[in-house]
Amino acid sequence: QVQLQESCSGLVPSSQTLSLTCTVSGESITTDFYHWTWIRQLPGKGREWMGAITFTGSIYYHLAPRRRASISRDTSKNQFTLHLNSVTPEDTAVYYCAARRGWSDSSDDYLYWGQGTQVTVSS
């Protein structure tokens, strides 16, 4: 069973960088065909797929936060990380890491989820 756990971020000052790490257990992040993603839920809105890193290390981003987002991984720790630069209060959301086998940029298609972590950007 794949399990994911986001690090806690809490309150982030505006214009700073948000950094979140997802620790994976039950499966290696290099296992064939797995895609590891970051998804966020903005207040009063649906979930937004932000980007993913694949089992090969290829990275894909959603168009909207693309210029500010960076995803990486540490295979020795079985973790992957999201950095979001120059945050504003509009980035306040619950952030999730999630996984599935095979490609999808739809959050509804992801089978394995972390519990989510609330990030609040202060103005």
Side-chain angles (χ1 to χ4, degrees):
Q1 180 72 14
V2 180
Q3 295 182 320
L4 302 98
Q5 178 66 58
E6 304 91 349
S7 58
C8 296
S9 186
L11 191 64
V12 181
S14 187
S15 81
Q16 299 300 303
T17 296
L18 164 66
S19 297
L20 293 172
T21 295
C22 185
T23 300
V24 179
S25 59
E27 193 65 78
S28 169
I29 62 173
T30 61
T31 298
D32 282 354
F33 310 122
Y34 270 89
H35 289 65
W36 309 92
T37 191
W38 289 99
I39 293 166
R40 67 182 181 179
Q41 184 151 21
L42 302 169
K45 297 184 180 180
R47 290 175 174 171
E48 178 183 65
W49 180 88
M50 300 184 69
I53 185 165
T54 74
F55 62 103
T56 65
S58 296
I59 302 170
Y60 301 89
Y61 296 104
H62 185 276
L63 186 60
R66 178 173 185 158
R67 295 178 181 177
R68 298 190 294 121
S70 174
I71 296 173
S72 60
R73 67 177 185 176
D74 185 335
T75 57
S76 67
K77 296 181 180 179
N78 218 37
Q79 295 175 333
F80 61 104
T81 299
L82 170 71
H83 296 293
L84 188 64
N85 300 324
S86 304
V87 296
T88 72
E90 285 68 39
D91 293 310
T92 294
V94 179
Y95 286 75
Y96 299 89
C97 56
R100 61 166 280 141
R101 296 194 73 188
W103 166 255
S104 177
D105 61 359
S106 172
S107 59
D108 292 339
D109 292 337
Y110 280 79
L111 180 61
Y112 306 106
W113 289 77
Q115 65 184 18
T117 184
Q118 173 69 48
V119 174
T120 302
V121 180
S122 60
S123 58

